[in-house]
Amino acid sequence: MRNIVLIGFMGTGKSTVAAALAERLGWNRVDLDTSIEEAENATIPQLFADKGEPYFRRAETEALKRELDGREGQIVATGGGAVLAEENRGIMLANGLVVALTADIGTILQRVQNDPNRPLLRGNAEQAVPELLERRKHAYDFAPVRIDTSDKTVEQIAAEIVEQLMAD
């Protein structure tokens, strides 16, 4: 038994797919942002506003270590930027099957534009999403599995991931 680590840009379905996979496999679901919020006793937007992105990124690395090191049978939904640190990518690859979820820009905008818990969008998704996508266009390339979630149901995505897990 291993872990499954879901990575991808915001709005690609990581949290939703993690819940479906956890139910399907009977594994624990871990939302990395929730883990950070609990450890820091603050919301993600509060952490960004009060302590800045570098502080948040360090907290993210600590949460990855805490949630993955020595554990099995978990579905871990990461935040979209968790892949930016090389250390984080190593932790993910060493502790599970890393699956990159992708989606087209229209789908991402539809999913995130009215979400107030996205501090990197600063209320302007139409401008911020394309810029962030461009900056991160290769950030998810290290994942051995990639699935475009744009036109698939959660059940279809979960089935593809389980298939990859069994083949791995």
Side-chain angles (χ1 to χ4, degrees):
M1 189 187 310
R2 299 176 58 188
N3 298 297
I4 297 172
V5 181
L6 300 177
I7 65 169
F9 195 77
M10 65 181 84
T12 56
K14 298 178 298 292
S15 296
T16 304
V17 171
L21 276 171
E23 185 174 315
R24 183 178 185 138
L25 294 171
W27 290 11
N28 293 326
R29 178 176 61 93
V30 175
D31 184 282
L32 201 63
D33 284 351
T34 300
S35 177
I36 294 165
E37 288 179 340
E38 289 171 358
E40 296 289 329
N41 200 26
T43 67
I44 301 302
Q46 285 174 323
L47 285 171
F48 267 79
D50 298 345
K51 298 187 177 182
E53 186 174 356
Y55 181 91
F56 170 77
R57 296 296 173 204
R58 285 190 299 278
E60 194 170 50
T61 299
E62 292 308 310
L64 267 174
K65 289 177 186 174
R66 184 172 60 249
E67 299 295 352
L68 282 173
D69 281 350
R71 295 186 178 196
E72 290 188 334
Q74 299 190 116
I75 312 296
V76 179
T78 66
V83 298
L84 299 177
E86 185 176 341
E87 180 179 7
N88 293 357
R89 295 189 299 270
I91 293 167
M92 292 176 205
L93 288 168
N95 289 286
L97 174 64
V98 181
V99 179
L101 300 182
T102 65
D104 62 63
I105 194 165
T107 300
I108 291 171
L109 282 169
Q110 179 184 345
R111 292 175 181 171
V112 304
Q113 64 187 356
N114 296 318
D115 187 343
N117 294 313
R118 308 268 183 194
L120 290 177
L121 298 183
R122 297 175 300 282
N124 189 0
E126 290 81 13
Q127 180 182 346
V129 166
E131 289 173 3
L132 278 170
L133 275 171
E134 179 60 26
R135 280 193 302 220
R136 294 183 182 174
K137 66 181 173 185
H138 296 295
Y140 309 104
D141 290 352
F142 74 98
V145 178
R146 292 177 68 85
I147 298 173
D148 186 337
T149 66
S150 301
D151 297 317
K152 293 180 181 159
T153 66
V154 173
E155 293 74 24
Q156 288 171 319
I157 299 161
E160 279 189 49
I161 294 170
V162 170
E163 202 175 288
Q164 288 292 328
L165 182 68
M166 298 308 167
D168 197 40

